[in-house]
């Protein structure tokens, strides 16, 4: 069986001397009431015939209702999740007004085995968080992307420049 694949985009900005990333709290009843390890990089699955970067852009737009800003996409590589899914991600420096976010939705049977379909937001809230704070909130399999972004930023000559 071929592992499912997802692609995502981790938006970051430099505020003063610190980097912040934009992540989203996963929507739906399973994540309601959870905070730690319940956030995600905006991402989604793609099929073999789709380019991962194209999928990452599409999923960013679907999950946040906004296009990513223009800029250089920095590869963060891929990471196998505990579920076996492989996530590939990029980082992009830019800003985004979280007050303009209009999350996409998904439909699922809720409550389970009720026969009733309910609609939920893919992401129920977004936040700009410092790297250390974001790392603690992300699901375990995505924390590596924060570490890789930090390594990239540590290699820069000056914050805010590529």
């Amino acid at each position: 069986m071929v592992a499912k694949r997802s692609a995502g985009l981790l938006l970051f900005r430099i505020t003063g001397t610190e980097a912040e990333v934009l992540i989203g709290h996963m929507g739906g009843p399973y994540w309601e009431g959870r905070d730690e390890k319940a956030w995600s990089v905006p991402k989604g699955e793609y099929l073999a015939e789709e380019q991962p970067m194209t999928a990452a852009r599409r999923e960013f737009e679907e999950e946040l209702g906004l296009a990513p800003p223009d800029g250089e996409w920095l590869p963060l590589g891929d990471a196998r999740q505990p579920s076996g899914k492989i996530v590939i991600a990029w980082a992009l420096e830019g800003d985004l007004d979280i007050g303009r976010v209009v999350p996409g939705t998904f439909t699922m049977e809720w409550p389970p085995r009720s026969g009733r379909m309910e609609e939920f937001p893919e992401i129920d809230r977004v936040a700009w968080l410092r790297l250390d704070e974001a790392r603690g909130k992300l699901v375990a399999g995505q924390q590596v992307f924060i570490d890789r972004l930090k390594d990239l930023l540590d290699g820069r000559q000056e914050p805010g420049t590529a």
Side-chain angles (χ1 to χ4, degrees):
M1 185 167 128
V2 175
K4 290 184 179 183
R5 299 187 72 84
S6 284
L9 181 59
L10 182 61
L11 196 61
F12 74 95
R13 66 183 183 187
I14 307 296
T15 57
T17 59
E18 288 196 85
E20 295 179 328
V21 291
L22 181 69
I23 59 173
H25 183 270
M26 292 185 278
Y30 293 116
W31 300 101
E32 195 174 56
R34 291 183 58 190
D35 190 52
E36 299 299 310
K37 313 282 188 273
W39 293 66
S40 177
V41 171
K43 63 163 186 53
E45 289 184 14
Y46 65 96
L47 301 175
E49 61 272 6
E50 186 176 18
Q51 291 297 313
M53 190 180 279
T54 302
R57 177 180 296 280
R58 173 181 45 79
E59 289 297 328
F60 186 95
E61 291 180 17
E62 285 181 12
E63 291 197 358
L64 302 179
L66 299 169
D70 292 332
E72 180 184 1
W73 287 42
L74 307 171
L76 296 175
D78 58 26
R80 184 174 294 277
Q81 306 301 287
S83 67
K85 180 187 288 186
I86 297 171
V87 176
I88 184 169
W90 287 265
L92 172 64
E93 185 172 7
D95 206 350
L96 187 123
D97 177 0
I98 62 174
R100 295 181 49 227
V101 168
V102 179
T105 60
F106 69 96
T107 304
M108 66 181 276
E109 183 180 17
W110 190 257
R113 296 177 294 285
S114 68
R116 196 172 79 200
M117 300 303 284
E118 293 284 332
E119 189 174 65
F120 299 97
E122 289 191 46
I123 292 177
D124 59 22
R125 63 187 181 273
V126 296
W128 284 105
L129 300 174
R130 290 182 333 274
L131 297 184
D132 59 336
E133 186 179 9
R135 191 179 194 289
K137 293 197 179 286
L138 282 173
V139 293
Q142 294 179 27
Q143 293 172 355
V144 66
F145 297 126
I146 297 295
D147 300 338
R148 292 174 186 169
L149 175 60
K150 184 177 182 326
D151 289 345
L152 279 174
L153 295 176
D154 287 347
R156 288 182 168 196
Q157 296 293 326
E158 175 183 324
T161 62

